[in-house]
Each structure stands twice: as structure tokens, then as C-alpha cells.
């Protein structure tokens, strides 16, 4: 059953390309983990067009609405795809940006078209911020296009500079400071 985020068409989700054997092993491990734990991947909507958000350096397993025969990613520099089964796809965020994943069924009929947005790892940034500065709980971290947006209040100017420096490590040159 899809999560609330999946129902909205957005899913949270590895960076450098991995050698083919490593990718197969990683994909097999993901499938085995899902089978062992009983987890299911988000299902793609039946309307054939939607969006998935995958952070850089992260991945997401998607379920297709039907068995597919071919996958095509428009810009493999942004994201990579790896077939897991006839109904599931492993999507890897490689570089900030967006691209389109086209999923084709028998006879090259389009099953679905997915706008894949690869964004900065906002959840990773939030986790690291809390670990490093647990008292700075007035800071909000969000994504906008290919940027990280920082807003809210902070205890001091030096702390604000540290938070901006941390955000720069997640999205170099793409941090919007509104603190």
C-alpha cells in the first residue's frame, strides 16, 4: 500500500556510477531485503505521468503499473535505472537536475512516463544538522528546484555560517540562506 508521499506522487529515495556487477549485487540485495522484511516499493500511478524525487546519492525502488519490456532514461548523467523484476525499477540519483524515465510495455507501448527529479539530500542535511547542532532547532531546511533553502532563526551569526557551510556540502553553490 503506497505511503502518503507515494499517493502524492513524490518519493524520497547513490551517486557515482557503480560497475555493472556491483549494481546487480546492490539490486539483488534490495530485492532480498524487501522480500525478507515484507516491505513494498511505492507503486506508480495509473495516470501514466507523475514525478519521483530522489536525493543525490540515494535510490528508490518503484513498482510499475504493469509488466514492462523496456526502460529509457532521457539523461543518464542525472539518474540511472536498473530493472529489478518485470514490475519494479531501481532509480539512482546521480546529479542534481531532472530527467524523464519512460517505461514501455509489449509492442513498445508507453506504460508510464516519470519525471525524475534529483535533488539535494535534504533529509540527510537535517539529520546531520541535528547531530552537530542539536540546540539549533529553529532552522528549517527544504528543497527548492536544485537548491537547499535555509530559513528560520539561529542563535548566532557564527552558527548561521556553520549551517550554511554544512548545506554547501550537500548542494555546492546552490544554498539559499534566508536565516
Amino acid at each position: 500500500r503506497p505511503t502518503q508521499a507515494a499517493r502524492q506522487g513524490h518519493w524520497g529515495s547513490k551517486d557515482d556510477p557503480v560497475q555493472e556487477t556491483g549494481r546487480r549485487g546492490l539490486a539483488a540485495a534490495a530485492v532480498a531485503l524487501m522480500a525478507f522484511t515484507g516491505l513494498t516499493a511505492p507503486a506508480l500511478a495509473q495516470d501514466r505521468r507523475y514525478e519521483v524525487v530522489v536525493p543525490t546519492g540515494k535510490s528508490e525502488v518503484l513498482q510499475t503499473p504493469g509488466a514492462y519490456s523496456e526502460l529509457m532514461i532521457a539523461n543518464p548523467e542525472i539518474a540511472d535505472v536498473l530493472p529489478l523484476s518485470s514490475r519494479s525499477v531501481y532509480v539512482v540519483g546521480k546529479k542534481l537536475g531532472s530527467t524523464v524515465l519512460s517505461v514501455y510495455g509489449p509492442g513498445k507501448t508507453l506504460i508510464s512516463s516519470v519525471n525524475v527529479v534529483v535533488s539535494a539530500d535534504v533529509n540527510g542535511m537535517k539529520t546531520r544538522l541535528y547531530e552537530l547542532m542539536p540546540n539549533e532547532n529553529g532552522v528549517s531546511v527544504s528543497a527548492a528546484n536544485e537548491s537547499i533553502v535555509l530559513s528560520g532563526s539561529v542563535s548566532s551569526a557564527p552558527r548561521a555560517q556553520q549551517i550554511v557551510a554544512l548545506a554547501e556540502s550537500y548542494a555546492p553553490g546552490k544554498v539559499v540562506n534566508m536565516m
Side-chain angles (χ1 to χ4, degrees):
R1 188 173 121 148
T3 63
Q4 178 180 357
R7 286 190 295 274
Q8 294 172 348
H10 298 279
W11 298 288
S13 35
K14 203 152 154 80
D15 193 352
D16 297 327
V18 183
Q19 293 180 4
E20 191 63 31
T21 55
R23 287 178 18 186
R24 286 186 188 138
L26 189 57
V31 171
L33 179 62
M34 288 173 55
F36 178 73
T37 61
L39 296 175
T40 58
L44 301 181
Q46 294 292 335
D47 69 0
R48 297 173 35 143
R49 294 192 63 85
Y50 49 94
E51 184 172 276
V52 61
V53 178
V54 183
T56 55
K58 303 288 181 173
S59 62
E60 182 65 46
V61 177
L62 303 177
Q63 292 290 333
T64 61
Y68 64 86
S69 58
E70 189 174 346
L71 300 168
M72 183 181 300
I73 191 80
N75 188 342
E77 291 180 9
I78 302 292
D80 198 6
V81 294
L82 180 67
L84 294 176
S85 73
S86 64
R87 294 182 58 108
S88 63
V89 180
Y90 189 72
V91 180
V92 181
K94 293 167 60 176
K95 177 177 144 184
L96 294 176
S98 64
T99 187
V100 174
L101 168 62
S102 299
V103 181
Y104 296 96
K108 302 240 186 222
T109 57
L110 182 66
I111 294 176
S112 62
S113 178
V114 183
N115 186 35
V116 178
V117 177
V118 179
S119 67
D121 184 5
V122 172
N123 288 334
M125 162 71 189
K126 288 178 183 179
T127 299
R128 183 66 64 209
L129 176 61
Y130 179 74
E131 289 171 354
L132 296 173
M133 300 176 214
N135 296 329
E136 296 297 343
N137 53 11
V139 178
S140 175
V141 181
S142 60
N145 295 322
E146 297 178 12
S147 300
I148 288 182
V149 178
L150 303 171
S151 60
S153 60
V154 65
S155 63
S156 67
R159 280 293 192 180
Q161 290 173 339
Q162 291 172 331
I163 293 168
V164 169
L166 178 62
E168 284 286 338
S169 72
Y170 285 86
K174 298 194 180 231
V175 175
V176 178
N177 182 2
M178 299 177 70
M179 296 184 291

